[in-house]
Short mmCIF file of all heavy atoms in Angstrom, two decimals:
data_model
loop_
_atom_site.label_atom_id
_atom_site.label_comp_id
_atom_site.label_asym_id
_atom_site.label_seq_id
_atom_site.Cartn_x
_atom_site.Cartn_y
_atom_site.Cartn_z
N ALA M 8 94.34 39.72 144.06
CA ALA M 8 95.25 39.52 145.17
C ALA M 8 95.12 38.08 145.67
O ALA M 8 94.08 37.44 145.47
CB ALA M 8 94.95 40.51 146.29
N PRO M 9 96.15 37.56 146.35
CA PRO M 9 96.08 36.18 146.85
C PRO M 9 94.86 35.95 147.74
O PRO M 9 94.57 36.75 148.63
CB PRO M 9 97.37 36.03 147.65
CG PRO M 9 98.31 36.99 147.00
CD PRO M 9 97.46 38.17 146.61
N GLY M 10 94.14 34.88 147.46
CA GLY M 10 92.97 34.54 148.25
C GLY M 10 91.73 35.34 147.95
O GLY M 10 90.71 35.15 148.61
N LYS M 11 91.79 36.23 146.97
CA LYS M 11 90.65 37.06 146.63
C LYS M 11 90.23 36.83 145.18
O LYS M 11 91.00 36.32 144.37
CB LYS M 11 90.96 38.54 146.84
CG LYS M 11 91.37 38.89 148.26
CD LYS M 11 91.49 40.39 148.45
CE LYS M 11 90.14 41.06 148.36
NZ LYS M 11 90.23 42.52 148.64
N GLU M 12 89.00 37.21 144.88
CA GLU M 12 88.50 37.08 143.53
C GLU M 12 89.03 38.19 142.64
O GLU M 12 89.41 39.26 143.11
CB GLU M 12 86.97 37.08 143.52
CG GLU M 12 86.34 35.89 144.22
CD GLU M 12 84.83 35.86 144.07
OE1 GLU M 12 84.26 36.83 143.54
OE2 GLU M 12 84.23 34.85 144.48
N ARG M 13 89.03 37.92 141.36
CA ARG M 13 89.45 38.93 140.40
C ARG M 13 88.46 40.07 140.39
O ARG M 13 87.25 39.87 140.38
CB ARG M 13 89.55 38.29 139.02
CG ARG M 13 90.27 39.13 137.98
CD ARG M 13 90.57 38.30 136.74
NE ARG M 13 91.42 37.15 137.06
CZ ARG M 13 91.88 36.28 136.18
NH1 ARG M 13 91.58 36.44 134.89
NH2 ARG M 13 92.62 35.27 136.56
N GLU M 14 88.98 41.30 140.39
CA GLU M 14 88.12 42.47 140.43
C GLU M 14 88.44 43.43 139.30
O GLU M 14 89.57 43.53 138.83
CB GLU M 14 88.24 43.19 141.78
CG GLU M 14 89.59 43.82 142.05
CD GLU M 14 89.62 44.62 143.35
OE1 GLU M 14 88.62 44.61 144.09
OE2 GLU M 14 90.66 45.25 143.62
N PHE M 15 87.42 44.16 138.91
CA PHE M 15 87.54 45.13 137.84
C PHE M 15 88.34 46.34 138.27
O PHE M 15 88.21 46.82 139.40
CB PHE M 15 86.15 45.56 137.39
CG PHE M 15 86.15 46.72 136.44
CD1 PHE M 15 86.44 46.54 135.10
CD2 PHE M 15 85.85 48.00 136.88
CE1 PHE M 15 86.45 47.61 134.22
CE2 PHE M 15 85.85 49.07 136.01
CZ PHE M 15 86.16 48.87 134.68
N VAL M 16 89.15 46.86 137.35
CA VAL M 16 89.93 48.07 137.60
C VAL M 16 89.54 49.19 136.64
O VAL M 16 89.21 50.30 137.06
CB VAL M 16 91.44 47.80 137.49
CG1 VAL M 16 92.23 49.10 137.66
CG2 VAL M 16 91.87 46.77 138.53
N ALA M 17 89.59 48.91 135.33
CA ALA M 17 89.33 49.95 134.34
C ALA M 17 88.98 49.33 133.01
O ALA M 17 89.39 48.20 132.71
CB ALA M 17 90.54 50.88 134.19
N ALA M 18 88.25 50.06 132.18
CA ALA M 18 87.89 49.59 130.85
C ALA M 18 87.88 50.76 129.88
O ALA M 18 87.69 51.92 130.28
CB ALA M 18 86.52 48.91 130.86
N ILE M 19 88.09 50.45 128.61
CA ILE M 19 88.08 51.46 127.56
C ILE M 19 87.42 50.88 126.32
O ILE M 19 87.65 49.73 125.97
CB ILE M 19 89.51 51.96 127.26
CG1 ILE M 19 89.49 53.12 126.28
CG2 ILE M 19 90.41 50.84 126.77
CD1 ILE M 19 90.82 53.86 126.19
N SER M 20 86.58 51.68 125.68
CA SER M 20 85.87 51.24 124.49
C SER M 20 86.73 51.44 123.24
O SER M 20 87.78 52.09 123.28
CB SER M 20 84.56 51.99 124.35
OG SER M 20 84.78 53.36 124.02
N TRP M 21 86.26 50.91 122.14
CA TRP M 21 86.96 51.08 120.88
C TRP M 21 86.47 52.32 120.12
O TRP M 21 87.27 53.17 119.74
CB TRP M 21 86.76 49.84 119.99
CG TRP M 21 87.05 50.13 118.55
CD1 TRP M 21 88.26 50.44 118.00
CD2 TRP M 21 86.10 50.16 117.47
NE1 TRP M 21 88.12 50.65 116.64
CE2 TRP M 21 86.81 50.48 116.29
CE3 TRP M 21 84.73 49.93 117.39
CZ2 TRP M 21 86.18 50.59 115.05
CZ3 TRP M 21 84.11 50.03 116.15
CH2 TRP M 21 84.83 50.35 115.01
N SER M 22 85.17 52.43 119.91
CA SER M 22 84.64 53.43 119.00
C SER M 22 84.89 54.86 119.45
O SER M 22 85.18 55.74 118.63
CB SER M 22 83.14 53.21 118.79
OG SER M 22 82.44 53.30 120.02
N THR M 23 84.78 55.12 120.74
CA THR M 23 84.92 56.47 121.26
C THR M 23 86.05 56.62 122.27
O THR M 23 86.30 57.73 122.74
CB THR M 23 83.62 56.94 121.91
OG1 THR M 23 83.34 56.13 123.05
CG2 THR M 23 82.46 56.85 120.93
N SER M 24 86.70 55.53 122.62
CA SER M 24 87.71 55.51 123.68
C SER M 24 87.14 56.02 125.00
O SER M 24 87.85 56.63 125.81
CB SER M 24 88.94 56.32 123.28
OG SER M 24 89.65 55.68 122.24
N SER M 25 85.85 55.79 125.21
CA SER M 25 85.25 56.09 126.49
C SER M 25 85.87 55.19 127.56
O SER M 25 86.23 54.04 127.28
CB SER M 25 83.74 55.88 126.44
OG SER M 25 83.14 56.75 125.50
N THR M 26 85.96 55.70 128.77
CA THR M 26 86.58 54.93 129.85
C THR M 26 85.66 54.83 131.05
O THR M 26 84.78 55.66 131.26
CB THR M 26 87.91 55.55 130.30
OG1 THR M 26 87.68 56.87 130.82
CG2 THR M 26 88.89 55.64 129.14
N TYR M 27 85.89 53.79 131.83
CA TYR M 27 85.20 53.60 133.09
C TYR M 27 86.22 53.09 134.09
O TYR M 27 86.93 52.13 133.82
CB TYR M 27 84.05 52.60 132.94
CG TYR M 27 83.18 52.52 134.17
CD1 TYR M 27 82.13 53.42 134.36
CD2 TYR M 27 83.40 51.55 135.15
CE1 TYR M 27 81.34 53.36 135.50
CE2 TYR M 27 82.61 51.49 136.28
CZ TYR M 27 81.58 52.39 136.45
OH TYR M 27 80.79 52.34 137.57
N ILE M 28 86.28 53.75 135.24
CA ILE M 28 87.29 53.45 136.24
C ILE M 28 86.62 53.04 137.54
O ILE M 28 85.65 53.67 137.97
CB ILE M 28 88.19 54.68 136.50
CG1 ILE M 28 88.72 55.26 135.18
CG2 ILE M 28 89.33 54.32 137.43
CD1 ILE M 28 89.62 54.32 134.42
N ALA M 29 87.13 51.99 138.16
CA ALA M 29 86.59 51.55 139.44
C ALA M 29 86.77 52.63 140.50
O ALA M 29 87.76 53.36 140.50
CB ALA M 29 87.28 50.26 139.88
N ASP M 30 85.80 52.71 141.40
CA ASP M 30 85.84 53.74 142.44
C ASP M 30 87.11 53.64 143.29
O ASP M 30 87.63 54.66 143.75
CB ASP M 30 84.62 53.63 143.33
CG ASP M 30 83.34 54.08 142.65
OD1 ASP M 30 83.43 54.81 141.64
OD2 ASP M 30 82.25 53.72 143.13
N SER M 31 87.60 52.44 143.49
CA SER M 31 88.75 52.24 144.35
C SER M 31 90.04 52.88 143.81
O SER M 31 90.96 53.14 144.58
CB SER M 31 88.98 50.75 144.60
OG SER M 31 89.22 50.07 143.39
N VAL M 32 90.08 53.11 142.51
CA VAL M 32 91.28 53.68 141.90
C VAL M 32 91.00 54.96 141.14
O VAL M 32 91.92 55.55 140.56
CB VAL M 32 91.96 52.66 140.97
CG1 VAL M 32 92.35 51.40 141.73
CG2 VAL M 32 91.05 52.31 139.79
N LYS M 33 89.77 55.42 141.14
CA LYS M 33 89.41 56.63 140.41
C LYS M 33 90.20 57.83 140.92
O LYS M 33 90.36 58.02 142.12
CB LYS M 33 87.91 56.88 140.54
CG LYS M 33 87.36 57.97 139.62
CD LYS M 33 85.84 58.06 139.73
CE LYS M 33 85.17 56.77 139.31
NZ LYS M 33 83.68 56.86 139.40
N GLY M 34 90.70 58.61 139.98
CA GLY M 34 91.52 59.75 140.32
C GLY M 34 92.99 59.43 140.43
O GLY M 34 93.82 60.35 140.47
N ARG M 35 93.33 58.15 140.48
CA ARG M 35 94.73 57.72 140.56
C ARG M 35 95.17 56.94 139.33
O ARG M 35 96.32 57.05 138.91
CB ARG M 35 94.95 56.87 141.81
CG ARG M 35 94.65 57.59 143.11
CD ARG M 35 95.03 56.75 144.33
NE ARG M 35 94.26 55.51 144.41
CZ ARG M 35 94.80 54.29 144.37
NH1 ARG M 35 96.11 54.14 144.24
NH2 ARG M 35 94.02 53.22 144.45
N PHE M 36 94.27 56.15 138.76
CA PHE M 36 94.59 55.31 137.61
C PHE M 36 93.94 55.87 136.36
O PHE M 36 92.83 56.42 136.40
CB PHE M 36 94.08 53.88 137.81
CG PHE M 36 94.81 53.08 138.85
CD1 PHE M 36 95.69 53.66 139.74
CD2 PHE M 36 94.61 51.70 138.92
CE1 PHE M 36 96.35 52.91 140.70
CE2 PHE M 36 95.27 50.94 139.87
CZ PHE M 36 96.14 51.53 140.75
N THR M 37 94.60 55.69 135.22
CA THR M 37 94.08 56.11 133.93
C THR M 37 94.32 55.01 132.91
O THR M 37 95.42 54.46 132.84
CB THR M 37 94.76 57.40 133.44
OG1 THR M 37 94.58 58.44 134.40
CG2 THR M 37 94.16 57.85 132.11
N ILE M 38 93.30 54.69 132.13
CA ILE M 38 93.44 53.71 131.07
C ILE M 38 93.45 54.44 129.73
O ILE M 38 92.73 55.42 129.53
CB ILE M 38 92.31 52.66 131.12
CG1 ILE M 38 92.55 51.55 130.10
CG2 ILE M 38 90.94 53.30 130.93
CD1 ILE M 38 91.60 50.37 130.24
N SER M 39 94.26 53.97 128.81
CA SER M 39 94.33 54.55 127.47
C SER M 39 94.73 53.45 126.49
O SER M 39 95.14 52.36 126.90
CB SER M 39 95.32 55.71 127.42
OG SER M 39 96.63 55.28 127.74
N ARG M 40 94.61 53.75 125.22
CA ARG M 40 94.97 52.76 124.21
C ARG M 40 95.58 53.42 122.99
O ARG M 40 95.30 54.58 122.68
CB ARG M 40 93.75 51.91 123.81
CG ARG M 40 92.66 52.67 123.08
CD ARG M 40 91.40 51.81 122.94
NE ARG M 40 91.65 50.59 122.18
CZ ARG M 40 90.83 49.54 122.17
NH1 ARG M 40 89.72 49.54 122.92
NH2 ARG M 40 91.12 48.48 121.43
N ASP M 41 96.42 52.67 122.31
CA ASP M 41 97.00 53.07 121.05
C ASP M 41 96.71 51.94 120.08
O ASP M 41 97.44 50.94 120.05
CB ASP M 41 98.50 53.33 121.19
CG ASP M 41 99.11 53.89 119.91
OD1 ASP M 41 98.54 53.71 118.83
OD2 ASP M 41 100.19 54.52 120.01
N ASN M 42 95.66 52.09 119.32
CA ASN M 42 95.23 51.00 118.45
C ASN M 42 96.25 50.69 117.36
O ASN M 42 96.37 49.54 116.93
CB ASN M 42 93.88 51.34 117.82
CG ASN M 42 92.75 51.30 118.82
OD1 ASN M 42 92.85 50.66 119.87
ND2 ASN M 42 91.66 52.00 118.51
N ALA M 43 96.98 51.70 116.91
CA ALA M 43 98.00 51.48 115.89
C ALA M 43 99.10 50.56 116.39
O ALA M 43 99.74 49.87 115.59
CB ALA M 43 98.58 52.80 115.42
N LYS M 44 99.33 50.55 117.70
CA LYS M 44 100.36 49.71 118.29
C LYS M 44 99.80 48.46 118.96
O LYS M 44 100.56 47.70 119.57
CB LYS M 44 101.16 50.51 119.32
CG LYS M 44 101.92 51.69 118.75
CD LYS M 44 102.69 52.44 119.82
CE LYS M 44 103.46 53.61 119.24
NZ LYS M 44 104.19 54.36 120.30
N ASN M 45 98.50 48.27 118.84
CA ASN M 45 97.85 47.13 119.49
C ASN M 45 98.19 47.06 120.98
O ASN M 45 98.49 45.99 121.52
CB ASN M 45 98.24 45.82 118.81
CG ASN M 45 97.60 45.63 117.45
OD1 ASN M 45 96.77 46.43 117.03
ND2 ASN M 45 97.98 44.56 116.77
N THR M 46 98.13 48.21 121.63
CA THR M 46 98.57 48.30 123.01
C THR M 46 97.57 49.11 123.84
O THR M 46 97.06 50.13 123.38
CB THR M 46 99.95 48.95 123.11
OG1 THR M 46 100.89 48.19 122.34
CG2 THR M 46 100.43 48.98 124.55
N VAL M 47 97.31 48.64 125.04
CA VAL M 47 96.51 49.36 126.01
C VAL M 47 97.37 49.59 127.25
O VAL M 47 98.22 48.76 127.59
CB VAL M 47 95.21 48.61 126.34
CG1 VAL M 47 95.50 47.27 127.00
CG2 VAL M 47 94.30 49.46 127.22
N TYR M 48 97.16 50.73 127.91
CA TYR M 48 97.99 51.12 129.04
C TYR M 48 97.14 51.34 130.29
O TYR M 48 95.97 51.71 130.22
CB TYR M 48 98.74 52.42 128.75
CG TYR M 48 99.57 52.37 127.49
CD1 TYR M 48 99.08 52.88 126.30
CD2 TYR M 48 100.85 51.82 127.50
CE1 TYR M 48 99.84 52.84 125.14
CE2 TYR M 48 101.61 51.78 126.36
CZ TYR M 48 101.10 52.28 125.17
OH TYR M 48 101.87 52.24 124.03
N LEU M 49 97.76 51.11 131.42
CA LEU M 49 97.17 51.49 132.70
C LEU M 49 98.21 52.30 133.45
O LEU M 49 99.21 51.75 133.93
CB LEU M 49 96.75 50.26 133.51
CG LEU M 49 96.05 50.56 134.83
CD1 LEU M 49 94.66 51.16 134.57
CD2 LEU M 49 95.92 49.30 135.69
N GLN M 50 98.00 53.60 133.53
CA GLN M 50 98.87 54.48 134.29
C GLN M 50 98.40 54.50 135.72
O GLN M 50 97.25 54.87 135.99
CB GLN M 50 98.86 55.89 133.70
CG GLN M 50 99.74 56.88 134.45
CD GLN M 50 101.21 56.56 134.35
OE1 GLN M 50 101.71 56.29 133.27
NE2 GLN M 50 101.90 56.57 135.49
N MET M 51 99.26 54.13 136.64
CA MET M 51 98.91 54.02 138.06
C MET M 51 99.75 55.01 138.85
O MET M 51 100.98 54.88 138.92
CB MET M 51 99.13 52.60 138.56
CG MET M 51 98.40 51.53 137.74
SD MET M 51 98.53 49.87 138.47
CE MET M 51 100.30 49.61 138.33
N ASN M 52 99.10 55.98 139.44
CA ASN M 52 99.76 56.99 140.25
C ASN M 52 99.29 56.89 141.70
O ASN M 52 98.25 56.30 141.99
CB ASN M 52 99.45 58.39 139.72
CG ASN M 52 99.94 58.61 138.31
OD1 ASN M 52 101.00 58.11 137.91
ND2 ASN M 52 99.18 59.39 137.53
N SER M 53 100.05 57.48 142.59
CA SER M 53 99.71 57.49 144.01
C SER M 53 99.38 56.10 144.51
O SER M 53 98.36 55.88 145.18
CB SER M 53 98.55 58.46 144.27
OG SER M 53 98.86 59.77 143.85
N LEU M 54 100.22 55.16 144.22
CA LEU M 54 99.96 53.77 144.55
C LEU M 54 99.92 53.55 146.06
O LEU M 54 100.67 54.17 146.81
CB LEU M 54 101.01 52.87 143.91
CG LEU M 54 100.80 52.63 142.41
CD1 LEU M 54 102.08 52.12 141.77
CD2 LEU M 54 99.66 51.65 142.19
#
């Protein structure tokens, strides 16, 4: 955000697609990936 430092939101691994979500967005945001499409997604609900 303007005037603030960059902060972590979510991460996903390659080998197991394990995920880790920041507490501030846990339960609302979901990270996923489609390696065949070289694409990663962040689904954001209840914004």
Side-chain angles (χ1 to χ4, degrees):
K11 301 187 68 176
E12 295 186 353
R13 193 168 300 182
E14 66 176 5
F15 170 79
V16 176
I19 186 167
S20 70
W21 161 67
S22 60
T23 64
S24 291
S25 298
T26 62
Y27 188 85
I28 310 296
D30 288 341
S31 60
V32 301
K33 190 175 298 181
R35 300 186 297 119
F36 289 13
T37 303
I38 187 171
S39 61
R40 67 190 299 164
D41 186 338
N42 290 338
K44 298 180 179 179
N45 287 355
T46 303
V47 63
Y48 305 97
L49 183 69
Q50 179 66 47
M51 306 186 296
N52 299 324
S53 302
L54 283 162

